[in-house]
């Protein structure tokens, strides 16, 4: 059985390809928002999870727009890989399997979030300075 890290590597590689094309990145962000809306309609207990996805979306968007470029490429690739994993219906546990299908998505997102938490915290501090100005 592949480890989470080994399984995620292919999504990180796909993220590198997606990041070469801003249109593909925008499509991914739109698909992520759509899927998250569907997920939240069925379970309002996933607020913490959705907050983590939304911060990743904001970070990727800020990076590709040039507004914020303070985090490393590796962080960007990991976050985009997590978003690709989230929107891909046939990942380690297919999303068509009720409850379990979302469990692996949640676990990948939390794992990546924790892995890049320092970059996320700096980004959120930056966002607050923008809101205050």
């Amino acid at each position: 059985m592949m480890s989470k890290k080994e399984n995620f590597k292919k999504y990180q590689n796909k993220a590198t390809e997606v990041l070469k094309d801003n249109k593909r990145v925008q499509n991914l962000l739109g698909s992520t928002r759509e899927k998250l809306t569907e997920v939240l309609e069925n379970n309002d207990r996933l607020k913490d999870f959705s907050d983590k996805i939304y911060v990743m979306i904001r970070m990727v968007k800020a990076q590709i727009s040039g507004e914020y470029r303070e985090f490393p490429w590796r962080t960007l690739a990991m976050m985009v890989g997590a978003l690709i994993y989230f929107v891909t219906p046939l990942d380690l546990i297919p999303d068509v399997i009720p409850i379990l299908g979302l469990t692996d998505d949640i676990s990948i997102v939390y794992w990546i979030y924790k892995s890049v938490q320092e970059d996320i915290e700096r980004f959120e501090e930056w966002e607050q300075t923008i809101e205050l100005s």
Side-chain angles (χ1 to χ4, degrees), residues 106-122:
I106 292 170
S107 116
I108 289 289
V109 168
Y110 274 93
W111 173 58
I112 296 304
Y113 188 93
K114 188 167 177 56
S115 298
V116 300
Q117 190 160 2
E118 287 180 21
D119 292 322
I120 290 171
E121 288 168 2
R122 282 193 294 276

Side-chain angles (χ1 to χ4, degrees), residues 5-22:
K5 191 172 184 176
E6 291 168 333
N7 185 51
F8 184 71
K9 189 74 177 151
K10 70 180 178 181
Y11 290 93
Q12 198 169 352
N13 291 338
K14 183 160 178 93
T16 301
E17 290 302 310
V18 169
L19 283 164
K20 292 177 184 175
D21 181 351
N22 280 355

Side-chain angles (χ1 to χ4, degrees), residues 8-29 56-66 68-69 71-84 112:
F8 184 71
K9 189 74 177 151
K10 70 180 178 181
Y11 290 93
Q12 198 169 352
N13 291 338
K14 183 160 178 93
T16 301
E17 290 302 310
V18 169
L19 283 164
K20 292 177 184 175
D21 181 351
N22 280 355
K23 186 169 175 62
R24 289 179 72 189
V25 174
Q26 292 294 342
N27 288 340
L28 172 64
L29 297 179
M56 289 182 187
I57 289 171
R58 293 193 315 271
M59 286 178 77
V60 171
K61 189 175 177 185
Q63 172 73 22
I64 64 169
S65 72
Y68 185 85
R69 294 187 180 250
F71 50 90
W73 173 259
R74 180 181 176 276
T75 295
L76 182 63
M78 289 177 74
M79 289 188 306
V80 169
L83 297 178
I84 292 169
I112 296 304

Side-chain angles (χ1 to χ4, degrees), residues 43-60:
N43 192 340
D44 59 352
R45 292 178 293 164
L46 294 174
K47 172 125 178 55
D48 184 58
F49 171 72
S50 70
D51 290 347
K52 287 175 176 29
I53 291 277
Y54 282 126
V55 76
M56 289 182 187
I57 289 171
R58 293 193 315 271
M59 286 178 77
V60 171

